[in-house]
Amino acid sequence: SQQGEEDPQALSIQEGENATMNCSYKTSINNLQWYRQNSGRGLVHLILIRSNEREKHSGRLRVTLDTSKKSSSLLITASRAADTASYFCATGLTGGGNKLTFGTGTQLKVEL
Amino acid sequence: NAGVMQNPRHLVRRRGQEARLRCSPMKGHSHVYWYRQLPEEGLKFMVYLQKENIIDESGMPKERFSAEFPKEGPSILRIQQVVRGDSAAYFCASSGPGSRIYEQYFGPGTRLTVT
């Protein structure tokens, strides 16, 4: 699998439900970031979590990081139709400079 | 505070022509990154630049591709003699100084189509 691989590839839920997306990676990281991309648009930065952090919150978003399992999760609570988008995790590697390595993304669809 | 600006948003080139993609980072940001996204895929890192310097070009194809970030003006990603396989969305990102250096903010992208 690739560095920064999201699971599931696609997720369809009803408005108001919670959505959880997972990301696994292989090598040691400095930080992990989550981005949202609406169809045909650029990426919107959601949240950054550093390797020495375990959990971070931002509004309806909650991100966890487990460096022992090399995995992260993004939880979106009380989802809305406007949350429909692709979500990518990106890792900043230890000793890798500032470049980010992206996964293939999770496509989230929130239905009314 | 304007975000990262990219132009053009869409670019159509015939095989063999040159493509020039421009990126203006966010105000106060001196670090610029270029990524490429093929359809249905994640972004792939191409190059990282600071003013007048290429810091990391490990993701750049060895031929036909070049990037610059001059002292004045936008960063330019240049693709010479384009081929159909160059068709993709090219995204630029920028980051700021100090502790915020790892947070990259992306522009809307340039969608290149090679016919």
Side-chain angles (χ1 to χ4, degrees):
Chain A
S1 61
Q2 298 179 28
Q3 176 80 356
E5 189 167 293
E6 288 90 342
D7 171 61
Q9 285 187 313
L11 180 62
S12 183
I13 59 174
Q14 296 293 118
E15 198 171 49
E17 293 180 338
N18 296 341
T20 300
M21 288 159 268
N22 302 297
C23 169
S24 61
Y25 58 91
K26 288 188 167 182
T27 59
S28 179
I29 63 169
N30 176 286
N31 66 86
L32 186 145
Q33 305 184 44
W34 285 91
Y35 289 84
R36 183 185 75 226
Q37 184 179 35
N38 290 84
S39 180
R41 301 287 188 91
L43 278 77
V44 174
H45 185 269
L46 296 177
I47 201 163
L48 178 151
I49 186 165
R50 297 182 188 277
S51 58
N52 61 352
E53 297 176 312
R54 292 296 166 259
E55 189 171 310
K56 235 178 163 178
H57 297 255
S58 177
R60 294 185 296 113
L61 305 180
R62 174 179 169 248
V63 168
T64 62
L65 179 64
D66 187 336
T67 52
S68 66
K69 294 181 179 177
K70 291 185 167 60
S71 67
S72 173
S73 67
L74 170 67
L75 169 67
I76 304 174
T77 59
S79 63
R80 305 167 182 167
D83 295 328
T84 295
S86 292
Y87 291 82
F88 294 91
C89 72
T91 50
L93 305 182
T94 300
N98 292 348
K99 69 181 180 185
L100 293 177
T101 301
F102 282 81
T104 50
T106 292
Q107 291 184 22
L108 172 66
K109 184 175 181 181
V110 181
E111 297 175 335
L112 294 169
Chain B
N1 182 18
V4 178
M5 310 287 283
Q6 287 187 251
N7 67 79
R9 295 291 302 274
H10 298 272
L11 181 62
V12 179
R13 284 285 180 265
R14 290 196 177 91
R15 279 179 297 170
Q17 292 184 319
E18 179 180 285
R20 280 187 179 234
L21 288 63
R22 294 175 191 77
C23 168
S24 296
M26 283 179 71
K27 188 176 180 181
H29 286 190
S30 59
H31 305 265
V32 166
Y33 314 82
W34 286 92
Y35 294 83
R36 177 164 62 177
Q37 184 179 34
L38 295 171
E40 308 302 323
E41 293 188 11
L43 278 70
K44 296 287 193 291
F45 169 80
M46 298 181 75
V47 62
Y48 162 37
L49 311 103
Q50 291 182 33
K51 284 287 185 181
E52 299 185 281
N53 287 305
I54 296 175
I55 307 302
D56 181 352
E57 56 181 349
S58 58
M60 285 280 270
K62 294 287 185 274
E63 296 177 348
R64 302 187 298 108
F65 285 72
S66 63
E68 61 176 9
F69 189 17
K71 189 176 180 180
E72 300 291 337
S75 175
I76 306 286
L77 178 68
R78 183 178 174 211
I79 311 172
Q80 294 178 291
Q81 298 177 315
V82 296
V83 300
R84 288 223 171 100
D86 297 332
S87 295
Y90 292 83
F91 290 95
C92 167
S94 71
S95 65
S99 61
R100 308 302 292 270
I101 192 174
Y102 296 116
E103 291 186 20
Q104 296 184 20
Y105 293 86
F106 283 77
T110 293
R111 276 150 187 83
L112 172 66
T113 301
V114 179
T115 61

